[in-house]
């Protein structure tokens, strides 16, 4: 019997290096499955339905939300992008592991939908000063915009860390990536994911 895959959801304030940590972890270990999201934006160029996205009208997207098929969604450039319950279920039932980059609310929604299959990880900066420095190095925003991101991190995002299963401080990219993979490995070793192991080893009941 194929063991269900694990859903690892990573969230972090902007500037914590979330994308870099995830990318490095995927370089260190290949095989994480990709899920196709739903979007209300129009198909472009050589994009394909069901490969790049599932393209939906606003009305179709609303219906998917109401039915619970869309677990979480974001708005970007006037278009909505959502994570589909069926896409996740299909992958983990096949024994594939997922690594998802989601907002805090998105991470909570996936955990609620798949409580026994999901481990949530919150990425923290080593300090607020370092977070500010990283945002400045990106060179994408004005200092006022950076300070607004810092304020959001301090007042809104970091206080929700208690909602997550694990915490990783991204002080060193390689170390943080290895810790992320260690979280996944530890999750796979839980008894609830290996309840048939005694039968497999012929040990069940020998010492009862």
């Amino acid at each position: 019997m194929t063991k269900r895959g694990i859903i690892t959801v990573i969230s972090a304030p902007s500037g914590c290096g979330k994308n870099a940590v995830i990318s490095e972890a995927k370089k260190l270990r290949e095989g994480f499955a990709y899920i196709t999201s739903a979007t209300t934006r129009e198909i472009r160029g050589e994009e394909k339905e069901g490969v790049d996205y599932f393209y939906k009208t606003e009305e179709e997207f609303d219906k998917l939300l109401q039915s619970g098929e869309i677990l979480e969604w974001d708005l970007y450039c006037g278009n909505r992008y959502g994570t589909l319950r069926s896409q996740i279920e299909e992958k983990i039932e096949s024994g594939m592991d997922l690594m998802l980059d989601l907002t805090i609310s998105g991470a909570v929604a996936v955990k609620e939908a798949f409580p026994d299959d999901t481990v949530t990880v919150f990425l923290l900066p080593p300090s607020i000063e370092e977070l500010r420095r990283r945002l400045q190095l990106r060179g994408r925003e004005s200092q006022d915009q950076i300070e607004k991101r810092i304020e959001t991190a301090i007042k809104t995002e970091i206080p929700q860390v208690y909602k997550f299963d694990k915490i990783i401080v991204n002080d060193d990219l390689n170390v943080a990536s290895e810790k992320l993979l260690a979280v996944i490995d530890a999750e796979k070793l839980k008894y609830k994911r290996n309840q048939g192991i005694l039968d497999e080893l012929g040990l069940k009941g020998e010492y009862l």
Side-chain angles (χ1 to χ4, degrees), residues 82-172:
T83 302
L84 298 171
R85 179 190 295 267
S86 58
Q87 277 285 296
I88 292 178
E89 185 67 40
E90 176 186 321
K91 296 297 190 301
I92 62 173
E93 277 192 351
S94 299
M96 300 178 184
D97 294 329
L98 299 173
M99 192 181 291
L100 306 180
D101 168 3
L102 298 178
T103 61
I104 293 173
S105 59
V108 171
V110 171
K111 181 76 173 183
E112 289 178 349
F114 299 94
D116 295 328
D117 303 298
T118 304
V119 57
T120 54
V121 179
F122 197 89
L123 203 63
L124 288 170
S127 67
I128 295 301
E129 291 74 18
E130 176 61 16
L131 179 61
R132 180 178 287 108
R133 187 187 75 83
R134 291 177 183 178
L135 287 168
Q136 290 170 339
L137 283 175
R138 297 197 309 193
R140 303 177 192 168
E141 301 157 313
S142 67
Q143 191 59 41
D144 284 344
Q145 290 173 321
I146 288 173
E147 292 307 320
K148 286 181 181 178
R149 287 200 179 275
I150 295 291
E151 183 180 6
T152 298
I154 294 173
K155 294 184 177 180
T156 304
E157 296 169 325
I158 293 176
Q160 297 187 70
V161 69
Y162 71 93
K163 297 178 180 179
F164 288 73
D165 300 314
K166 309 292 181 183
I167 299 169
I168 296 175
V169 177
N170 184 20
D171 196 11
D172 179 278

Side-chain angles (χ1 to χ4, degrees), residues 10-27 99-102 123 134 138 140 170 173 177 180:
I10 303 95
S11 299
S14 180
C16 285
K18 177 176 58 175
N19 291 336
V21 170
I22 292 173
S23 295
E24 186 62 23
K26 288 183 175 179
K27 287 179 185 176
M99 192 181 291
L100 306 180
D101 168 3
L102 298 178
L123 203 63
R134 291 177 183 178
R138 297 197 309 193
R140 303 177 192 168
N170 184 20
L173 175 61
S177 301
L180 179 56

Side-chain angles (χ1 to χ4, degrees), residues 5 25 27 30 44 46 55 66 71 83 103 158 176 206:
K27 287 179 185 176
E30 298 179 352
R44 299 172 183 166
E46 297 183 358
Y55 300 90
Q66 292 167 9
L71 298 177
T83 302
T103 61
I158 293 176
E206 285 192 9

Side-chain angles (χ1 to χ4, degrees), residues 1 4 20 36-37 52 62 65 72-73 90 120 124-125 138 165 171 195:
M1 182 178 177
R4 286 170 69 86
T36 304
S37 301
D52 297 281
D62 285 336
L65 274 173
E72 62 85 35
W73 64 277
E90 176 186 321
T120 54
L124 288 170
R138 297 197 309 193
D165 300 314
D171 196 11
Q195 292 186 30

